[in-house]
PDB file of all heavy atoms in Angstrom:
ATOM      1  N   VAL A  98     132.461-150.757 202.967  1.00 87.00           N
ATOM      2  CA  VAL A  98     131.162-150.748 203.583  1.00 87.00           C
ATOM      3  C   VAL A  98     130.251-151.743 202.913  1.00 87.00           C
ATOM      4  O   VAL A  98     129.519-152.490 203.569  1.00 87.00           O
ATOM      5  CB  VAL A  98     130.543-149.328 203.512  1.00 87.00           C
ATOM      6  CG1 VAL A  98     129.076-149.351 203.922  1.00 87.00           C
ATOM      7  CG2 VAL A  98     131.325-148.386 204.406  1.00 87.00           C
ATOM      8  N   ASP A  99     130.209-151.780 201.607  1.00 89.00           N
ATOM      9  CA  ASP A  99     129.426-152.756 200.871  1.00 89.00           C
ATOM     10  C   ASP A  99     129.808-154.182 201.278  1.00 89.00           C
ATOM     11  O   ASP A  99     128.877-154.994 201.448  1.00 89.00           O
ATOM     12  CB  ASP A  99     129.581-152.547 199.333  1.00 89.00           C
ATOM     13  CG  ASP A  99     128.893-151.294 198.820  1.00 89.00           C
ATOM     14  OD1 ASP A  99     128.094-150.730 199.628  1.00 89.00           O
ATOM     15  OD2 ASP A  99     129.125-150.935 197.680  1.00 89.00           O
ATOM     16  N   MET A 100     131.075-154.422 201.382  1.00 87.00           N
ATOM     17  CA  MET A 100     131.529-155.738 201.733  1.00 87.00           C
ATOM     18  C   MET A 100     131.027-156.155 203.088  1.00 87.00           C
ATOM     19  O   MET A 100     130.527-157.238 203.276  1.00 87.00           O
ATOM     20  CB  MET A 100     133.059-155.860 201.695  1.00 87.00           C
ATOM     21  CG  MET A 100     133.626-155.857 200.282  1.00 87.00           C
ATOM     22  SD  MET A 100     133.073-157.267 199.293  1.00 87.00           S
ATOM     23  CE  MET A 100     134.113-158.520 199.969  1.00 87.00           C
ATOM     24  N   SER A 101     131.051-155.240 204.041  1.00 90.00           N
ATOM     25  CA  SER A 101     130.634-155.573 205.423  1.00 90.00           C
ATOM     26  C   SER A 101     129.110-155.783 205.376  1.00 90.00           C
ATOM     27  O   SER A 101     128.593-156.647 206.117  1.00 90.00           O
ATOM     28  CB  SER A 101     131.033-154.484 206.378  1.00 90.00           C
ATOM     29  OG  SER A 101     130.420-153.254 206.058  1.00 90.00           O
ATOM     30  N   LYS A 102     128.372-155.039 204.607  1.00 90.00           N
ATOM     31  CA  LYS A 102     126.930-155.226 204.459  1.00 90.00           C
ATOM     32  C   LYS A 102     126.666-156.627 203.914  1.00 90.00           C
ATOM     33  O   LYS A 102     125.810-157.327 204.375  1.00 90.00           O
ATOM     34  CB  LYS A 102     126.316-154.201 203.563  1.00 90.00           C
ATOM     35  CG  LYS A 102     125.935-152.914 204.293  1.00 90.00           C
ATOM     36  CD  LYS A 102     125.180-151.958 203.326  1.00 90.00           C
ATOM     37  CE  LYS A 102     125.137-150.550 203.876  1.00 90.00           C
ATOM     38  NZ  LYS A 102     124.704-149.624 202.882  1.00 90.00           N
ATOM     39  N   LEU A 103     127.423-156.958 202.831  1.00 89.00           N
ATOM     40  CA  LEU A 103     127.266-158.308 202.198  1.00 89.00           C
ATOM     41  C   LEU A 103     127.561-159.377 203.208  1.00 89.00           C
ATOM     42  O   LEU A 103     126.843-160.358 203.305  1.00 89.00           O
ATOM     43  CB  LEU A 103     128.218-158.397 201.053  1.00 89.00           C
ATOM     44  CG  LEU A 103     127.696-157.866 199.668  1.00 89.00           C
ATOM     45  CD1 LEU A 103     128.827-157.959 198.627  1.00 89.00           C
ATOM     46  CD2 LEU A 103     126.469-158.585 199.215  1.00 89.00           C
ATOM     47  N   LYS A 104     128.602-159.205 203.993  1.00 92.00           N
ATOM     48  CA  LYS A 104     128.997-160.235 205.001  1.00 92.00           C
ATOM     49  C   LYS A 104     127.843-160.415 205.992  1.00 92.00           C
ATOM     50  O   LYS A 104     127.504-161.509 206.308  1.00 92.00           O
ATOM     51  CB  LYS A 104     130.191-159.746 205.728  1.00 92.00           C
ATOM     52  CG  LYS A 104     131.420-160.696 205.633  1.00 92.00           C
ATOM     53  CD  LYS A 104     132.541-160.240 206.490  1.00 92.00           C
ATOM     54  CE  LYS A 104     133.855-160.222 205.712  1.00 92.00           C
ATOM     55  NZ  LYS A 104     134.921-159.660 206.435  1.00 92.00           N
ATOM     56  N   ALA A 105     127.246-159.286 206.444  1.00 91.00           N
ATOM     57  CA  ALA A 105     126.148-159.372 207.412  1.00 91.00           C
ATOM     58  C   ALA A 105     124.984-160.110 206.785  1.00 91.00           C
ATOM     59  O   ALA A 105     124.382-160.982 207.389  1.00 91.00           O
ATOM     60  CB  ALA A 105     125.772-157.943 207.832  1.00 91.00           C
ATOM     61  N   ASP A 106     124.692-159.792 205.502  1.00 92.00           N
ATOM     62  CA  ASP A 106     123.573-160.436 204.762  1.00 92.00           C
ATOM     63  C   ASP A 106     123.877-161.963 204.706  1.00 92.00           C
ATOM     64  O   ASP A 106     122.983-162.758 204.923  1.00 92.00           O
ATOM     65  CB  ASP A 106     123.403-159.827 203.374  1.00 92.00           C
ATOM     66  CG  ASP A 106     122.735-158.482 203.467  1.00 92.00           C
ATOM     67  OD1 ASP A 106     122.265-158.097 204.554  1.00 92.00           O
ATOM     68  OD2 ASP A 106     122.723-157.789 202.419  1.00 92.00           O
ATOM     69  N   GLY A 107     125.132-162.272 204.371  1.00 92.00           N
ATOM     70  CA  GLY A 107     125.525-163.671 204.216  1.00 92.00           C
ATOM     71  C   GLY A 107     125.378-164.413 205.476  1.00 92.00           C
ATOM     72  O   GLY A 107     124.837-165.523 205.556  1.00 92.00           O
ATOM     73  N   LEU A 108     125.717-163.750 206.636  1.00 92.00           N
ATOM     74  CA  LEU A 108     125.596-164.373 207.911  1.00 92.00           C
ATOM     75  C   LEU A 108     124.140-164.636 208.255  1.00 92.00           C
ATOM     76  O   LEU A 108     123.756-165.660 208.813  1.00 92.00           O
ATOM     77  CB  LEU A 108     126.232-163.500 208.997  1.00 92.00           C
ATOM     78  CG  LEU A 108     127.741-163.555 209.045  1.00 92.00           C
ATOM     79  CD1 LEU A 108     128.289-162.525 210.024  1.00 92.00           C
ATOM     80  CD2 LEU A 108     128.220-164.932 209.420  1.00 92.00           C
ATOM     81  N   MET A 109     123.240-163.615 207.944  1.00 93.00           N
ATOM     82  CA  MET A 109     121.816-163.802 208.199  1.00 93.00           C
ATOM     83  C   MET A 109     121.269-164.979 207.422  1.00 93.00           C
ATOM     84  O   MET A 109     120.544-165.747 207.942  1.00 93.00           O
ATOM     85  CB  MET A 109     121.061-162.501 207.779  1.00 93.00           C
ATOM     86  CG  MET A 109     121.465-161.301 208.532  1.00 93.00           C
ATOM     87  SD  MET A 109     120.262-160.672 209.678  1.00 93.00           S
ATOM     88  CE  MET A 109     118.824-160.516 208.666  1.00 93.00           C
ATOM     89  N   VAL A 110     121.650-165.035 206.108  1.00 93.00           N
ATOM     90  CA  VAL A 110     121.209-166.147 205.274  1.00 93.00           C
ATOM     91  C   VAL A 110     121.702-167.482 205.878  1.00 93.00           C
ATOM     92  O   VAL A 110     120.934-168.410 205.928  1.00 93.00           O
ATOM     93  CB  VAL A 110     121.691-165.986 203.855  1.00 93.00           C
ATOM     94  CG1 VAL A 110     121.478-167.225 202.997  1.00 93.00           C
ATOM     95  CG2 VAL A 110     121.020-164.759 203.186  1.00 93.00           C
ATOM     96  N   ALA A 111     122.925-167.533 206.253  1.00 94.00           N
ATOM     97  CA  ALA A 111     123.518-168.742 206.794  1.00 94.00           C
ATOM     98  C   ALA A 111     122.815-169.174 208.091  1.00 94.00           C
ATOM     99  O   ALA A 111     122.494-170.316 208.277  1.00 94.00           O
ATOM    100  CB  ALA A 111     125.030-168.573 207.092  1.00 94.00           C
ATOM    101  N   ALA A 112     122.506-168.158 208.907  1.00 95.00           N
ATOM    102  CA  ALA A 112     121.743-168.445 210.178  1.00 95.00           C
ATOM    103  C   ALA A 112     120.405-169.003 209.885  1.00 95.00           C
ATOM    104  O   ALA A 112     119.975-169.988 210.514  1.00 95.00           O
ATOM    105  CB  ALA A 112     121.698-167.229 211.024  1.00 95.00           C
ATOM    106  N   ALA A 113     119.693-168.394 208.920  1.00 95.00           N
ATOM    107  CA  ALA A 113     118.331-168.788 208.559  1.00 95.00           C
ATOM    108  C   ALA A 113     118.407-170.271 208.011  1.00 95.00           C
ATOM    109  O   ALA A 113     117.583-171.109 208.322  1.00 95.00           O
ATOM    110  CB  ALA A 113     117.739-167.889 207.577  1.00 95.00           C
ATOM    111  N   TYR A 114     119.424-170.473 207.210  1.00 95.00           N
ATOM    112  CA  TYR A 114     119.596-171.827 206.590  1.00 95.00           C
ATOM    113  C   TYR A 114     119.849-172.852 207.683  1.00 95.00           C
ATOM    114  O   TYR A 114     119.210-173.935 207.636  1.00 95.00           O
ATOM    115  CB  TYR A 114     120.825-171.791 205.654  1.00 95.00           C
ATOM    116  CG  TYR A 114     121.097-173.050 204.960  1.00 95.00           C
ATOM    117  CD1 TYR A 114     120.224-173.579 203.962  1.00 95.00           C
ATOM    118  CD2 TYR A 114     122.255-173.785 205.212  1.00 95.00           C
ATOM    119  CE1 TYR A 114     120.503-174.763 203.325  1.00 95.00           C
ATOM    120  CE2 TYR A 114     122.563-174.985 204.591  1.00 95.00           C
ATOM    121  CZ  TYR A 114     121.650-175.437 203.627  1.00 95.00           C
ATOM    122  OH  TYR A 114     121.962-176.617 202.994  1.00 95.00           O
ATOM    123  N   MET A 115     120.666-172.542 208.657  1.00 95.00           N
ATOM    124  CA  MET A 115     120.966-173.460 209.725  1.00 95.00           C
ATOM    125  C   MET A 115     119.717-173.757 210.564  1.00 95.00           C
ATOM    126  O   MET A 115     119.429-174.860 210.967  1.00 95.00           O
ATOM    127  CB  MET A 115     122.081-172.903 210.678  1.00 95.00           C
ATOM    128  CG  MET A 115     123.425-172.874 210.065  1.00 95.00           C
ATOM    129  SD  MET A 115     123.994-174.545 209.671  1.00 95.00           S
ATOM    130  CE  MET A 115     124.281-175.246 211.272  1.00 95.00           C
ATOM    131  N   GLN A 116     118.898-172.681 210.833  1.00 96.00           N
ATOM    132  CA  GLN A 116     117.683-172.864 211.594  1.00 96.00           C
ATOM    133  C   GLN A 116     116.754-173.780 210.798  1.00 96.00           C
ATOM    134  O   GLN A 116     116.068-174.658 211.359  1.00 96.00           O
ATOM    135  CB  GLN A 116     117.004-171.529 211.829  1.00 96.00           C
ATOM    136  CG  GLN A 116     117.646-170.731 212.948  1.00 96.00           C
ATOM    137  CD  GLN A 116     117.018-169.382 213.146  1.00 96.00           C
ATOM    138  OE1 GLN A 116     116.433-168.825 212.258  1.00 96.00           O
ATOM    139  NE2 GLN A 116     117.146-168.893 214.332  1.00 96.00           N
ATOM    140  N   GLY A 117     116.673-173.604 209.452  1.00 95.00           N
ATOM    141  CA  GLY A 117     115.850-174.471 208.681  1.00 95.00           C
ATOM    142  C   GLY A 117     116.327-175.913 208.753  1.00 95.00           C
ATOM    143  O   GLY A 117     115.497-176.833 208.860  1.00 95.00           O
ATOM    144  N   LEU A 118     117.637-176.112 208.665  1.00 95.00           N
ATOM    145  CA  LEU A 118     118.151-177.474 208.739  1.00 95.00           C
ATOM    146  C   LEU A 118     117.764-178.104 210.107  1.00 95.00           C
ATOM    147  O   LEU A 118     117.343-179.227 210.157  1.00 95.00           O
ATOM    148  CB  LEU A 118     119.723-177.429 208.670  1.00 95.00           C
ATOM    149  CG  LEU A 118     120.228-177.433 207.219  1.00 95.00           C
ATOM    150  CD1 LEU A 118     121.757-177.365 207.269  1.00 95.00           C
ATOM    151  CD2 LEU A 118     119.759-178.634 206.458  1.00 95.00           C
ATOM    152  N   GLN A 119     117.952-177.337 211.170  1.00 96.00           N
ATOM    153  CA  GLN A 119     117.613-177.896 212.518  1.00 96.00           C
ATOM    154  C   GLN A 119     116.146-178.255 212.600  1.00 96.00           C
ATOM    155  O   GLN A 119     115.786-179.278 213.155  1.00 96.00           O
ATOM    156  CB  GLN A 119     117.966-176.816 213.582  1.00 96.00           C
ATOM    157  CG  GLN A 119     119.506-176.764 213.831  1.00 96.00           C
ATOM    158  CD  GLN A 119     119.870-175.651 214.763  1.00 96.00           C
ATOM    159  OE1 GLN A 119     119.122-174.723 214.991  1.00 96.00           O
ATOM    160  NE2 GLN A 119     121.058-175.731 215.325  1.00 96.00           N
ATOM    161  N   ALA A 120     115.298-177.383 212.040  1.00 95.00           N
ATOM    162  CA  ALA A 120     113.834-177.663 212.071  1.00 95.00           C
ATOM    163  C   ALA A 120     113.555-178.895 211.241  1.00 95.00           C
ATOM    164  O   ALA A 120     112.761-179.766 211.699  1.00 95.00           O
ATOM    165  CB  ALA A 120     113.064-176.485 211.452  1.00 95.00           C
ATOM    166  N   ALA A 121     114.221-179.122 210.125  1.00 94.00           N
ATOM    167  CA  ALA A 121     114.013-180.274 209.315  1.00 94.00           C
ATOM    168  C   ALA A 121     114.436-181.557 210.073  1.00 94.00           C
ATOM    169  O   ALA A 121     113.788-182.593 210.028  1.00 94.00           O
ATOM    170  CB  ALA A 121     114.783-180.165 207.982  1.00 94.00           C
ATOM    171  N   VAL A 122     115.571-181.473 210.749  1.00 94.00           N
ATOM    172  CA  VAL A 122     116.091-182.640 211.517  1.00 94.00           C
ATOM    173  C   VAL A 122     115.124-182.986 212.621  1.00 94.00           C
ATOM    174  O   VAL A 122     114.814-184.175 212.827  1.00 94.00           O
ATOM    175  CB  VAL A 122     117.473-182.262 212.110  1.00 94.00           C
ATOM    176  CG1 VAL A 122     117.882-183.348 213.142  1.00 94.00           C
ATOM    177  CG2 VAL A 122     118.517-182.191 211.020  1.00 94.00           C
ATOM    178  N   LYS A 123     114.594-181.951 213.338  1.00 94.00           N
ATOM    179  CA  LYS A 123     113.620-182.228 214.381  1.00 94.00           C
ATOM    180  C   LYS A 123     112.387-182.943 213.804  1.00 94.00           C
ATOM    181  O   LYS A 123     111.876-183.871 214.391  1.00 94.00           O
ATOM    182  CB  LYS A 123     113.214-180.896 215.058  1.00 94.00           C
ATOM    183  CG  LYS A 123     114.205-180.427 216.095  1.00 94.00           C
ATOM    184  CD  LYS A 123     113.749-179.151 216.769  1.00 94.00           C
ATOM    185  CE  LYS A 123     114.871-178.565 217.637  1.00 94.00           C
ATOM    186  NZ  LYS A 123     114.536-177.210 218.044  1.00 94.00           N
ATOM    187  N   LEU A 124     111.913-182.468 212.687  1.00 92.00           N
ATOM    188  CA  LEU A 124     110.701-183.022 212.048  1.00 92.00           C
ATOM    189  C   LEU A 124     110.972-184.474 211.694  1.00 92.00           C
ATOM    190  O   LEU A 124     110.137-185.357 211.976  1.00 92.00           O
ATOM    191  CB  LEU A 124     110.393-182.291 210.764  1.00 92.00           C
ATOM    192  CG  LEU A 124     109.437-181.113 210.925  1.00 92.00           C
ATOM    193  CD1 LEU A 124     109.240-180.374 209.550  1.00 92.00           C
ATOM    194  CD2 LEU A 124     108.055-181.562 211.424  1.00 92.00           C
ATOM    195  N   CYS A 125     112.152-184.770 211.152  1.00 91.00           N
ATOM    196  CA  CYS A 125     112.495-186.141 210.780  1.00 91.00           C
ATOM    197  C   CYS A 125     112.521-186.991 212.032  1.00 91.00           C
ATOM    198  O   CYS A 125     112.011-188.119 212.058  1.00 91.00           O
ATOM    199  CB  CYS A 125     113.856-186.174 210.110  1.00 91.00           C
ATOM    200  SG  CYS A 125     113.794-185.569 208.377  1.00 91.00           S
ATOM    201  N   GLU A 126     113.137-186.516 213.132  1.00 92.00           N
ATOM    202  CA  GLU A 126     113.199-187.312 214.373  1.00 92.00           C
ATOM    203  C   GLU A 126     111.768-187.590 214.886  1.00 92.00           C
ATOM    204  O   GLU A 126     111.484-188.679 215.293  1.00 92.00           O
ATOM    205  CB  GLU A 126     114.010-186.514 215.435  1.00 92.00           C
ATOM    206  CG  GLU A 126     115.519-186.594 215.157  1.00 92.00           C
ATOM    207  CD  GLU A 126     116.321-185.699 216.091  1.00 92.00           C
ATOM    208  OE1 GLU A 126     115.699-184.932 216.890  1.00 92.00           O
ATOM    209  OE2 GLU A 126     117.552-185.715 215.991  1.00 92.00           O
ATOM    210  N   GLN A 127     110.937-186.588 214.863  1.00 90.00           N
ATOM    211  CA  GLN A 127     109.522-186.784 215.349  1.00 90.00           C
ATOM    212  C   GLN A 127     108.850-187.839 214.452  1.00 90.00           C
ATOM    213  O   GLN A 127     108.183-188.728 215.035  1.00 90.00           O
ATOM    214  CB  GLN A 127     108.740-185.490 215.240  1.00 90.00           C
ATOM    215  CG  GLN A 127     109.088-184.471 216.383  1.00 90.00           C
ATOM    216  CD  GLN A 127     108.480-183.128 216.212  1.00 90.00           C
ATOM    217  OE1 GLN A 127     107.801-182.906 215.209  1.00 90.00           O
ATOM    218  NE2 GLN A 127     108.646-182.283 217.183  1.00 90.00           N
ATOM    219  N   GLN A 128     109.024-187.799 213.171  1.00 87.00           N
ATOM    220  CA  GLN A 128     108.386-188.784 212.293  1.00 87.00           C
ATOM    221  C   GLN A 128     108.915-190.165 212.561  1.00 87.00           C
ATOM    222  O   GLN A 128     108.142-191.131 212.566  1.00 87.00           O
ATOM    223  CB  GLN A 128     108.565-188.394 210.836  1.00 87.00           C
ATOM    224  CG  GLN A 128     107.711-187.250 210.387  1.00 87.00           C
ATOM    225  CD  GLN A 128     107.976-186.805 209.005  1.00 87.00           C
ATOM    226  OE1 GLN A 128     109.028-187.109 208.405  1.00 87.00           O
ATOM    227  NE2 GLN A 128     107.058-186.058 208.433  1.00 87.00           N
ATOM    228  N   GLN A 129     110.209-190.286 212.801  1.00 85.00           N
ATOM    229  CA  GLN A 129     110.773-191.580 213.135  1.00 85.00           C
ATOM    230  C   GLN A 129     110.231-192.150 214.390  1.00 85.00           C
ATOM    231  O   GLN A 129     109.973-193.331 214.489  1.00 85.00           O
ATOM    232  CB  GLN A 129     112.320-191.524 213.221  1.00 85.00           C
ATOM    233  CG  GLN A 129     112.983-191.406 211.836  1.00 85.00           C
ATOM    234  CD  GLN A 129     114.484-191.199 211.934  1.00 85.00           C
ATOM    235  OE1 GLN A 129     114.992-190.820 212.946  1.00 85.00           O
ATOM    236  NE2 GLN A 129     115.175-191.453 210.809  1.00 85.00           N
TER     237      GLN A 129
END
């Protein structure tokens, strides 16, 4: 159960990280 909770947390962190990356890329494109 702990492992599945950790996996879910890891996925949430990864998703947030990916969203952050996409936002950063969009910002860079706008600046260019």
